[in-house]
Amino acid sequence: MEPVKEEFASLSSISITSRIPDFWKKSPKIWFIQTEAVLTPQKMSDEAKYQIVISKLTPEVIEQVTDILISPPETGKYEKLKRRLLQIFEESEDRQIKKLIGEMELGDQKPSQLMRKMQDLARGRVTTETLLVLWQNLLPPAIRAVLAVSESKSEDILASIADKVMESMTPLNSVSAVQQSSLGNSPENNLISEIEKLNNRLRRLETRNNTSNFRTRSRSRSRGRFQHNQRHNPNWLCKYHYKYKNKATKCVKPCNWKPSQREKPAEN
């Protein structure tokens, strides 16, 4: 039975290891939280946890902990390895604050996703009011306008409102895509409706301008062809002489109408 137990333990270890991602250099603290969520229920030994963490380190990371790997302590191997990795790769408080203040941007993510990242960097080191100001300054003006009339100061509620406003701003969606039932007859909902009306007006104006520009370009091309024929056709006649011949009372240069081309009067 002993070999069966060892084989079962080996398979169990492989299954546990497969549920743990490779070490995250940019978020070591979060990585350990996820890793320990897998390891703790298994009641694994210190040695087993230590070996699993080593298996998840890249060569670049291993270079930072070679002294521990070569001469590990007799006890507390896992905790010592964990402390070293956090010490090396976890950003300092000053670095996190600098990143929070000067390096964040919305990009392609939702406002709520940006909020979560900024909350993680803040970690209680800045007030809620300051965090909201920093976050709102990174949002488009239309979203800031809606948030400005909101009576709520909750980070989660404001992030949810910002997400809905952003959805209503996309070209393929309208204000009906916003879950108005969650906003009710609130200033936020009224302002979203007004923004959508303005967006519709702008889209109509843009369509009208595009149509007008197309017609202008078409007329320009026609004039260009007309002028091109003038320069290269030695027998070109202006529209007056072309249509009325000798009865024309007007002429457009460079018309090639010649007196010899006048029609002879009818003979009696």
Side-chain angles (χ1 to χ4, degrees):
M1 294 295 296
E2 191 66 29
V4 174
K5 289 183 179 181
E6 291 180 357
E7 182 178 357
F8 178 78
S10 177
L11 291 174
S12 177
S13 178
I14 293 174
S15 176
I16 293 171
T17 302
S18 66
R19 294 162 56 191
I20 300 174
D22 290 339
F23 181 72
W24 299 341
K25 292 191 299 181
K26 293 184 177 181
S27 302
K29 186 174 181 179
I30 302 301
W31 184 85
F32 272 108
I33 291 174
Q34 179 173 341
T35 298
E36 290 175 353
V38 176
L39 299 180
T40 301
Q42 307 301 321
K43 302 185 183 301
M44 303 180 73
S45 65
D46 177 66
E47 178 68 25
K49 294 191 294 183
Y50 172 75
Q51 293 297 338
I52 287 177
V53 171
I54 293 176
S55 70
K56 296 298 178 179
L57 303 181
T58 63
E60 181 182 359
V61 176
I62 288 178
E63 291 179 355
Q64 304 296 324
V65 294
T66 51
D67 57 320
I68 297 177
L69 303 184
I70 294 173
S71 302
E74 294 183 2
T75 60
K77 295 179 181 179
Y78 171 79
E79 287 298 330
K80 184 169 184 178
L81 183 59
K82 175 182 176 180
R83 285 195 300 271
R84 172 67 67 81
L85 291 172
L86 291 176
Q87 178 184 357
I88 294 174
F89 294 103
E90 182 74 357
E91 291 181 333
S92 67
E93 291 188 5
D94 289 344
R95 175 70 186 117
Q96 290 175 345
I97 294 298
K98 289 179 180 178
K99 188 174 182 180
L100 174 67
I101 295 175
E103 299 181 19
M104 303 302 294
E105 59 182 18
L106 181 60
D108 296 330
Q109 61 190 332
K110 293 182 177 181
S112 59
Q113 293 174 321
L114 176 63
M115 170 66 81
R116 303 292 175 264
K117 291 182 179 180
M118 297 180 72
Q119 286 174 327
D120 182 60
L121 290 172
R123 294 182 188 176
R125 291 189 287 269
V126 279
T127 63
T128 299
E129 291 76 12
T130 301
L131 180 62
L132 287 174
V133 170
L134 293 173
W135 172 68
Q136 291 185 35
N137 286 340
L138 299 173
L139 303 179
I143 299 179
R144 293 203 303 268
V146 174
L147 298 178
V149 300
S150 174
E151 297 179 356
S152 175
K153 300 301 179 184
S154 167
E155 298 170 19
D156 292 338
I157 293 177
L158 292 175
S160 178
I161 293 173
D163 284 351
K164 292 183 175 101
V165 177
M166 177 165 281
E167 290 173 7
S168 74
M169 292 168 59
T170 57
L172 298 180
N173 293 327
S174 65
V175 73
S176 60
V178 183
Q179 299 177 359
Q180 297 187 25
S181 58
S182 63
L183 295 176
N185 189 22
S186 62
E188 294 92 338
N189 189 31
N190 295 334
L191 189 51
I192 291 174
S193 298
E194 292 301 319
I195 290 174
E196 182 59 24
K197 291 177 182 177
L198 289 173
N199 286 338
N200 289 334
R201 291 177 60 187
L202 288 173
R203 283 192 286 269
R204 288 195 296 270
L205 286 173
E206 183 177 1
T207 301
R208 192 179 305 164
N209 289 337
N210 290 338
T211 302
S212 176
N213 291 337
F214 174 77
R215 291 174 178 171
T216 300
R217 289 194 298 270
S218 297
R219 287 195 296 268
S220 297
R221 286 194 294 268
S222 298
R223 285 196 298 269
R225 288 193 295 268
F226 182 71
Q227 293 169 355
H228 176 77
N229 291 335
Q230 286 183 343
R231 290 193 299 269
H232 297 279
N233 188 350
N235 297 318
W236 181 83
L237 300 177
C238 72
K239 61 182 181 180
Y240 301 104
H241 280 109
Y242 180 81
K243 185 175 182 179
Y244 300 107
K245 301 296 188 294
N246 64 325
K247 296 180 180 181
T249 59
K250 293 182 180 181
C251 182
V252 177
K253 299 300 183 181
C255 177
N256 289 285
W257 176 263
K258 298 180 176 60
S260 60
Q261 292 177 264
R262 294 183 179 277
E263 296 180 355
K264 297 180 180 179
E267 296 180 357
N268 293 330

